[in-house]
């Protein structure tokens, strides 16, 4: 059986894997990338960030057109052309995926299109060819896969995943969305806005548990105002297909309920793609969740094997996956590298209103025993958001009472994902609220809304 040896082997060609391969190539001569997906590019480009945000933005434009009377406009017969939406998405993501393909197929790397499984601590077997590959260092960046939890009938009932929703070229009449996480909420609102009757069922009392309860409440109100039939605090009992309809039975506040629709979308989360890698033979340990255990340099229990991105966690965020991949490859190369600083992380949910955060959350601050001062300000009392009819939400900032430095911020509202970066920069650089009040906050802009809670923080901190 043939065996090939490389200096550095990356398993997975997505954002974390490509970042690691690119960084490793700065030091190592012989770098290989093993990828078994039919298409090269990774989750973000092909079936995640880029296609979803392309479709979501189109749906936002349609939503504004359909509510043109709020702006003194008459836009007649505004509707979605699903085939055109689909085609625009394909063209858009091709721009990104073609670049990634070119990079992976370039002579910088040895690209191996096969599935790798560890057979010992320094060897993987390629399941297609039977060939074996050894390396001085391995990087595992296999991402995540759709989770199908144990709900009676769900596994046996054909259903959509996010891949299917992102690939639609027709308008579904009605859809039941199972789940209330980021993917579920973003795509439920997309479907609703293009004209589908949406019923969404969330098991916990709020959607978007990854965010704050205050933020989730704003989004839930917006969803219900837009006509989404949102059920929370439920217990799923069964899923079935009866004739041409999907039927979901569940209890809500102790009451048995049943909903029917033409389609069913399982959006009950994703799980790390770690189960079929033979990790136990490589001496790599995993958590109960399936995430690979790593240290702050992304090393696994086997110091020659690293992991990064969704398969390692702790967050499913692309820029963090890239940073992790760079740290891991740099460390393997013997460079002096700094671990990823999660205290400065940013996160965005692309619902409308959007939810964005920077720094550590109020809950995290409390867990660490950090005394904070907090201030907020609503969008419905702010000039630019009022004239834009963008009145949902608020901005909120908090500072460490002892040092006076900003340590966290949250924005729920129009273009929150853009607005949050003003606070992300401030938090990363260790700025105080008084420092930010030296900034020329232009009027009228959405960004100037930050100045109001900052003024309150200055008053409370005394400087």
């Amino acid at each position: 059986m043939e065996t090939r040896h490389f200096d550095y082997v990356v398993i997975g060609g997505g954002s974390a894997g490509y970042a690691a391969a690119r960084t490793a190539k700065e030091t190592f001569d012989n770098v290989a990338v093993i990828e078994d997906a039919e298409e090269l590019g990774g989750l973000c480009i092909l079936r995640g960030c880029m296609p979803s945000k392309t479709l979501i933005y189109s749906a936002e434009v349609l939503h504004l057109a359909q509510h043109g009377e709020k702006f003194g406009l008459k836009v007649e017969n505004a509707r979605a052309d699903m085939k055109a939406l689909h085609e625009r998405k394909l063209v858009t993501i091709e721009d990104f995926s073609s670049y990634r393909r070119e990079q992976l197929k370039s002579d910088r790397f040895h690209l191996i299109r096969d599935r790798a499984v560890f057979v010992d601590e320094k060897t993987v077997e390629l399941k297609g060819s039977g060939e074996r590959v050894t390396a001085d260092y391995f990087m595992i960046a296999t991402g995540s896969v759709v989770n199908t939890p144990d709900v009676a009938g769900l596994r046996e009932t054909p259903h959509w995943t996010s891949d299917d929703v992102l690939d639609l070229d027709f308008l579904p009449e009605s859809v039941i969305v199972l789940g209330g996480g980021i993917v579920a909420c973003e795509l439920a609102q997309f479907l609703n806005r293009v004209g589908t009757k949406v019923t969404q069922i969330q098991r916990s009392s709020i959607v978007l548990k990854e965010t704050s309860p205050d933020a989730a409440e704003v989004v839930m109100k917006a969803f219900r105002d837009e006509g989404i039939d949102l059920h929370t605090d439920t217990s799923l009992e069964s899923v079935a297909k009866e004739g041409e309809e999907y039927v979901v039975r569940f209890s809500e506040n102790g009451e048995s309920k049943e909903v029917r629709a033409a389609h069913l979308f399982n959006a009950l989360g994703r799980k790390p793609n770690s189960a079929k890698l033979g990790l136990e033979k490589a001496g790599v340990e995993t958590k109960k969740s399936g995430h690979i255990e790593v240290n702050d340099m992304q090393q696994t229990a086997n110091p020659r094997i690293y992991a990064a991105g969704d398969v390692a966690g702790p967050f499913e965020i692309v820029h963090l996956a890239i940073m992790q991949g760079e740290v891991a490859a740099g460390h393997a190369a013997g460079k002096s590298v700094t671990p990823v600083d999660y205290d400065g992380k940013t996160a965005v949910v692309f619902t409308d209103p959007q939810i964005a955060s920077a720094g550590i959350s109020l809950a995290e601050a409390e867990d660490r025993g950090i005394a904070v001062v907090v201030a907020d300000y609503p969008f419905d009392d702010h000039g630019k958001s009022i004239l834009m009819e963008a009145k949902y939400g608020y901005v909120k900032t908090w500072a460490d009472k002892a040092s006076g430095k900003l340590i966290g911020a949250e924005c729920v509202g129009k273009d929150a994902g853009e607005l949050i970066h003003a606070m992300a920069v401030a938090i990363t650089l260790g700025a105080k609220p008084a420092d930010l009040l030296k900034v020329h906050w232009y009027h009228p802009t959405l960004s100037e809304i930050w100045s109001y809670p900052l003024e309150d923080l200055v008053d409370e901190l005394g400087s």
Side-chain angles (χ1 to χ4, degrees):
M1 185 180 297
E2 183 182 353
T3 298
R4 281 196 284 174
H5 182 80
F6 297 93
D7 300 327
Y8 192 94
V9 169
V10 177
I11 304 174
S15 297
Y18 175 66
R22 182 190 60 210
T23 305
K25 188 59 180 175
E26 296 171 3
T27 302
F28 299 111
D29 292 327
N30 209 9
V31 176
V33 178
I34 304 175
E35 174 61 84
D36 69 336
E38 290 184 14
E39 291 183 82
L40 292 174
L43 176 65
C44 174
I45 291 176
L46 297 175
R47 301 181 305 282
C49 316
M50 301 315 296
S52 66
K53 277 49 178 183
T54 300
L55 296 173
I56 287 166
Y57 186 75
S58 292
E60 181 181 354
V61 174
L62 174 61
H63 181 73
L64 290 171
Q66 290 174 336
H67 292 81
E69 70 278 358
K70 292 183 179 180
F71 306 94
L73 305 173
K74 288 186 177 181
V75 183
E76 296 181 0
N77 201 30
R79 58 187 178 84
D81 180 340
M82 294 300 289
K83 290 189 182 299
L85 271 184
H86 177 65
E87 185 59 32
R88 177 176 184 268
K89 180 212 71 174
L90 292 176
V91 170
T92 301
I93 64 173
E94 174 61 19
D95 288 343
F96 299 100
S97 59
S98 62
Y99 174 78
R100 178 65 57 80
R101 287 197 304 270
E102 289 169 7
Q103 295 302 306
L104 289 173
K105 290 180 176 180
S106 70
D107 56 11
R108 291 193 300 164
F109 311 117
H110 298 270
L111 178 62
I112 302 171
R113 306 297 297 275
D114 209 326
R115 185 167 74 87
V117 177
F118 283 97
V119 294
D120 61 39
E121 294 186 350
K122 61 179 181 179
T123 310
V124 296
E125 181 177 289
L126 304 178
K127 302 309 288 184
S129 66
E131 179 185 4
R132 293 196 169 189
V133 172
T134 61
D136 295 335
Y137 299 97
F138 283 95
M139 156 61 78
I140 302 171
T142 48
S144 63
V145 293
V146 171
N147 182 39
T148 306
D150 292 326
V151 175
L154 182 57
R155 295 181 191 277
E156 297 77 25
T157 305
H159 56 260
W160 285 345
T161 68
S162 57
D163 291 357
D164 301 298
V165 175
L166 293 175
D167 212 31
L168 287 174
D169 62 358
F170 70 95
L171 181 63
E173 177 187 345
S174 56
V175 177
I176 299 169
V177 179
L178 302 180
I182 294 173
V183 172
C185 287
E186 289 181 351
L187 294 184
Q189 189 176 40
F190 161 72
L191 288 166
N192 183 68
R193 286 186 164 186
V194 295
T196 299
K197 183 181 184 302
V198 174
T199 302
Q200 185 175 3
I201 305 173
Q202 163 69 335
R203 289 175 289 186
S204 64
S205 60
I206 59 172
V207 298
L208 300 170
K209 293 187 295 181
E210 306 90 340
T211 67
S212 73
D214 288 347
E217 289 289 348
V218 174
V219 170
M220 289 194 295
K221 182 179 185 334
F223 275 24
R224 287 171 172 142
D225 288 349
E226 288 190 16
I228 293 176
D229 183 16
L230 175 61
H231 300 265
T232 57
D233 201 11
T234 69
S235 177
L236 288 172
E237 295 173 353
S238 67
V239 171
K241 189 173 185 185
E242 298 179 2
E244 296 301 311
E245 288 186 318
Y246 288 88
V247 183
V248 177
R249 295 178 175 89
F250 60 100
S251 62
E252 183 177 13
N253 299 320
E255 180 183 352
S256 295
K257 293 189 175 182
E258 175 185 293
V259 291
R260 294 173 177 264
H263 303 279
L264 177 68
F265 172 22
N266 169 24
L268 291 166
R270 301 181 68 87
K271 61 182 180 180
N273 186 18
S274 60
K276 299 179 181 179
L277 292 170
L279 297 180
E280 63 286 347
K281 293 183 179 179
V284 174
E285 298 176 359
T286 60
K287 301 177 183 178
K288 186 176 181 181
S289 63
H291 289 99
I292 295 175
E293 290 268 15
V294 294
N295 63 18
D296 60 2
M297 291 297 169
Q298 305 301 134
Q299 278 178 301
T300 70
N302 179 341
R304 294 286 178 176
I305 300 177
Y306 296 73
D310 291 358
V311 76
F315 306 102
E316 295 181 2
I317 298 176
V318 170
H319 74 269
L320 291 179
I322 293 169
M323 294 167 74
Q324 289 173 345
E326 292 170 345
V327 166
H331 186 262
K335 297 179 180 179
S336 177
V337 293
T338 303
V340 177
D341 177 16
Y342 298 110
D343 283 358
K345 74 178 184 300
T346 54
V348 182
V349 180
F350 287 88
T351 50
D352 183 11
Q354 294 177 4
I355 301 175
S357 61
I360 67 172
S361 68
L362 286 170
E364 288 174 297
E366 183 178 358
D367 289 344
R368 298 184 195 184
I370 301 173
V372 299
V373 291
V374 187
D376 58 32
Y377 198 84
F379 270 102
D380 64 5
D381 191 36
H382 178 54
K384 184 64 183 291
S385 56
I386 290 172
L387 68 88
M388 294 176 71
E389 292 289 344
K391 300 174 187 177
Y392 289 105
Y394 58 85
V395 291
K396 184 184 295 185
T397 57
W398 47 98
D400 181 343
K401 198 168 187 177
S403 69
K405 293 181 179 180
L406 288 165
I407 58 171
E410 183 176 66
C411 180
V412 184
K414 176 70 173 175
D415 293 336
E418 312 300 329
L419 296 178
I420 197 62
H421 289 84
M423 293 301 108
V425 171
I427 292 165
T428 301
L429 297 181
K432 297 182 177 181
D435 297 326
L436 293 187
L437 290 182
K438 298 173 185 175
V439 172
H440 293 231
W441 297 95
Y442 199 86
H443 175 78
T445 62
L446 287 177
S447 294
E448 69 171 325
I449 194 173
W450 289 115
S451 66
Y452 305 128
L454 290 171
E455 288 172 352
D456 291 341
L457 289 182
V458 170
D459 288 343
E460 196 162 348
L461 289 167
S463 63

Short mmCIF file of all heavy atoms in Angstrom, two decimals, residues 148-157 159 178 203 235-240 247-250 264 266 268:
data_model
loop_
_atom_site.label_atom_id
_atom_site.label_comp_id
_atom_site.label_asym_id
_atom_site.label_seq_id
_atom_site.Cartn_x
_atom_site.Cartn_y
_atom_site.Cartn_z
N THR A 148 -29.72 16.17 13.31
CA THR A 148 -31.10 15.66 13.29
C THR A 148 -31.37 15.01 14.64
O THR A 148 -31.02 13.85 14.87
CB THR A 148 -31.30 14.63 12.16
OG1 THR A 148 -30.89 15.21 10.92
CG2 THR A 148 -32.75 14.21 12.05
N PRO A 149 -31.97 15.75 15.57
CA PRO A 149 -32.17 15.23 16.92
C PRO A 149 -33.25 14.15 16.96
O PRO A 149 -33.95 13.91 15.98
CB PRO A 149 -32.60 16.46 17.72
CG PRO A 149 -33.21 17.37 16.71
CD PRO A 149 -32.47 17.13 15.43
N ASP A 150 -33.37 13.53 18.12
CA ASP A 150 -34.32 12.42 18.29
C ASP A 150 -35.73 12.96 18.53
O ASP A 150 -36.22 13.01 19.66
CB ASP A 150 -33.89 11.53 19.45
CG ASP A 150 -32.60 10.77 19.13
OD1 ASP A 150 -32.42 10.42 17.96
OD2 ASP A 150 -31.80 10.56 20.06
N VAL A 151 -36.37 13.35 17.45
CA VAL A 151 -37.79 13.74 17.48
C VAL A 151 -38.54 12.64 16.72
O VAL A 151 -38.15 12.28 15.60
CB VAL A 151 -38.02 15.10 16.81
CG1 VAL A 151 -39.51 15.43 16.73
CG2 VAL A 151 -37.27 16.19 17.55
N ALA A 152 -39.57 12.12 17.31
CA ALA A 152 -40.31 11.00 16.71
C ALA A 152 -40.72 11.31 15.27
O ALA A 152 -41.41 12.29 15.01
CB ALA A 152 -41.55 10.69 17.55
N GLY A 153 -40.25 10.49 14.35
CA GLY A 153 -40.62 10.62 12.94
C GLY A 153 -39.72 11.51 12.12
O GLY A 153 -39.79 11.48 10.88
N LEU A 154 -38.84 12.30 12.76
CA LEU A 154 -38.05 13.28 11.99
C LEU A 154 -37.06 12.60 11.05
O LEU A 154 -36.94 12.98 9.87
CB LEU A 154 -37.33 14.24 12.93
CG LEU A 154 -36.50 15.34 12.27
CD1 LEU A 154 -37.36 16.19 11.33
CD2 LEU A 154 -35.84 16.23 13.33
N ARG A 155 -36.35 11.61 11.54
CA ARG A 155 -35.36 10.94 10.70
C ARG A 155 -36.02 10.20 9.53
O ARG A 155 -35.45 10.09 8.45
CB ARG A 155 -34.52 9.96 11.52
CG ARG A 155 -33.67 10.63 12.58
CD ARG A 155 -32.84 9.60 13.36
NE ARG A 155 -32.22 10.20 14.53
CZ ARG A 155 -31.07 10.88 14.50
NH1 ARG A 155 -30.43 11.03 13.36
NH2 ARG A 155 -30.56 11.40 15.61
N GLU A 156 -37.21 9.69 9.78
CA GLU A 156 -37.90 8.90 8.76
C GLU A 156 -38.65 9.75 7.75
O GLU A 156 -39.05 9.27 6.68
CB GLU A 156 -38.89 7.94 9.42
CG GLU A 156 -38.26 6.90 10.35
CD GLU A 156 -37.87 7.46 11.70
OE1 GLU A 156 -38.48 8.48 12.12
OE2 GLU A 156 -36.94 6.93 12.33
N THR A 157 -38.87 11.00 8.08
CA THR A 157 -39.66 11.89 7.23
C THR A 157 -38.75 12.76 6.37
O THR A 157 -37.95 13.52 6.90
CB THR A 157 -40.57 12.80 8.08
OG1 THR A 157 -41.38 11.99 8.93
CG2 THR A 157 -41.46 13.66 7.19
N HIS A 159 -37.18 15.77 4.69
CA HIS A 159 -37.34 17.18 5.06
C HIS A 159 -36.21 18.00 4.48
O HIS A 159 -35.18 17.48 4.06
CB HIS A 159 -37.38 17.32 6.59
CG HIS A 159 -36.18 16.75 7.29
ND1 HIS A 159 -36.19 15.51 7.88
CD2 HIS A 159 -34.93 17.24 7.47
CE1 HIS A 159 -35.00 15.26 8.41
NE2 HIS A 159 -34.21 16.29 8.17
N LEU A 178 -38.48 24.12 12.06
CA LEU A 178 -38.17 23.58 13.38
C LEU A 178 -36.87 24.19 13.87
O LEU A 178 -35.81 23.99 13.27
CB LEU A 178 -38.03 22.05 13.32
CG LEU A 178 -39.23 21.26 12.81
CD1 LEU A 178 -38.91 19.77 12.83
CD2 LEU A 178 -40.46 21.55 13.66
N ARG A 203 -38.16 25.30 20.78
CA ARG A 203 -38.37 24.56 22.02
C ARG A 203 -38.23 25.42 23.27
O ARG A 203 -38.98 25.25 24.22
CB ARG A 203 -37.42 23.35 22.07
CG ARG A 203 -37.80 22.27 21.07
CD ARG A 203 -36.80 21.14 21.03
NE ARG A 203 -35.54 21.55 20.41
CZ ARG A 203 -34.54 20.72 20.14
NH1 ARG A 203 -34.66 19.44 20.44
NH2 ARG A 203 -33.43 21.15 19.57
N SER A 235 -42.65 21.66 23.27
CA SER A 235 -42.06 20.32 23.32
C SER A 235 -42.51 19.58 22.07
O SER A 235 -43.71 19.33 21.89
CB SER A 235 -42.50 19.58 24.58
OG SER A 235 -41.99 18.25 24.59
N LEU A 236 -41.57 19.27 21.19
CA LEU A 236 -41.91 18.56 19.96
C LEU A 236 -42.29 17.12 20.27
O LEU A 236 -41.57 16.42 20.98
CB LEU A 236 -40.72 18.58 19.00
CG LEU A 236 -40.41 19.93 18.34
CD1 LEU A 236 -39.09 19.84 17.57
CD2 LEU A 236 -41.53 20.36 17.42
N GLU A 237 -43.42 16.69 19.72
CA GLU A 237 -43.91 15.34 20.00
C GLU A 237 -43.71 14.42 18.81
O GLU A 237 -43.26 13.28 18.96
CB GLU A 237 -45.38 15.39 20.40
CG GLU A 237 -45.59 16.14 21.72
CD GLU A 237 -47.06 16.34 22.04
OE1 GLU A 237 -47.92 16.03 21.18
OE2 GLU A 237 -47.37 16.84 23.14
N SER A 238 -44.03 14.88 17.60
CA SER A 238 -43.88 14.01 16.43
C SER A 238 -43.89 14.81 15.14
O SER A 238 -44.42 15.92 15.07
CB SER A 238 -45.00 12.96 16.37
OG SER A 238 -46.25 13.59 16.13
N VAL A 239 -43.27 14.19 14.14
CA VAL A 239 -43.23 14.74 12.79
C VAL A 239 -43.68 13.65 11.84
O VAL A 239 -43.28 12.49 11.98
CB VAL A 239 -41.79 15.20 12.43
CG1 VAL A 239 -41.70 15.57 10.96
CG2 VAL A 239 -41.36 16.37 13.30
N ALA A 240 -44.50 14.01 10.86
CA ALA A 240 -44.97 13.00 9.90
C ALA A 240 -45.36 13.69 8.60
O ALA A 240 -45.58 14.90 8.56
CB ALA A 240 -46.16 12.23 10.47
N VAL A 247 -46.96 17.28 8.95
CA VAL A 247 -47.69 17.53 10.18
C VAL A 247 -46.71 17.48 11.36
O VAL A 247 -45.96 16.50 11.50
CB VAL A 247 -48.81 16.50 10.41
CG1 VAL A 247 -49.60 16.84 11.67
CG2 VAL A 247 -49.72 16.42 9.20
N VAL A 248 -46.72 18.53 12.16
CA VAL A 248 -45.89 18.55 13.36
C VAL A 248 -46.82 18.71 14.55
O VAL A 248 -47.65 19.63 14.60
CB VAL A 248 -44.87 19.71 13.33
CG1 VAL A 248 -44.08 19.75 14.64
CG2 VAL A 248 -43.92 19.55 12.15
N ARG A 249 -46.67 17.80 15.50
CA ARG A 249 -47.47 17.86 16.72
C ARG A 249 -46.54 18.22 17.87
O ARG A 249 -45.44 17.67 17.99
CB ARG A 249 -48.18 16.52 16.96
CG ARG A 249 -49.21 16.21 15.86
CD ARG A 249 -49.90 14.87 16.06
NE ARG A 249 -50.96 14.68 15.06
CZ ARG A 249 -50.76 14.13 13.86
NH1 ARG A 249 -49.55 13.73 13.50
NH2 ARG A 249 -51.77 13.99 13.02
N PHE A 250 -47.02 19.12 18.73
CA PHE A 250 -46.19 19.61 19.83
C PHE A 250 -47.08 20.15 20.94
O PHE A 250 -48.30 20.33 20.75
CB PHE A 250 -45.25 20.72 19.33
CG PHE A 250 -45.96 21.93 18.77
CD1 PHE A 250 -46.13 23.08 19.53
CD2 PHE A 250 -46.44 21.93 17.46
CE1 PHE A 250 -46.76 24.20 19.02
CE2 PHE A 250 -47.07 23.05 16.94
CZ PHE A 250 -47.23 24.19 17.71
N LEU A 264 -41.32 21.02 5.17
CA LEU A 264 -40.76 20.97 6.52
C LEU A 264 -39.27 21.28 6.45
O LEU A 264 -38.53 20.68 5.67
CB LEU A 264 -40.97 19.58 7.14
CG LEU A 264 -40.36 19.36 8.53
CD1 LEU A 264 -41.10 20.19 9.58
CD2 LEU A 264 -40.41 17.87 8.89
N ASN A 266 -35.94 21.36 8.73
CA ASN A 266 -35.23 21.03 9.97
C ASN A 266 -34.08 22.00 10.16
O ASN A 266 -33.06 21.92 9.47
CB ASN A 266 -34.71 19.59 9.92
CG ASN A 266 -33.74 19.29 11.06
OD1 ASN A 266 -33.77 19.93 12.11
ND2 ASN A 266 -32.88 18.31 10.85
N LEU A 268 -32.74 22.56 13.36
CA LEU A 268 -32.47 22.31 14.78
C LEU A 268 -30.97 22.23 15.06
O LEU A 268 -30.50 21.44 15.87
CB LEU A 268 -33.17 21.03 15.22
CG LEU A 268 -34.71 21.13 15.26
CD1 LEU A 268 -35.34 19.75 15.38
CD2 LEU A 268 -35.16 22.01 16.40
#
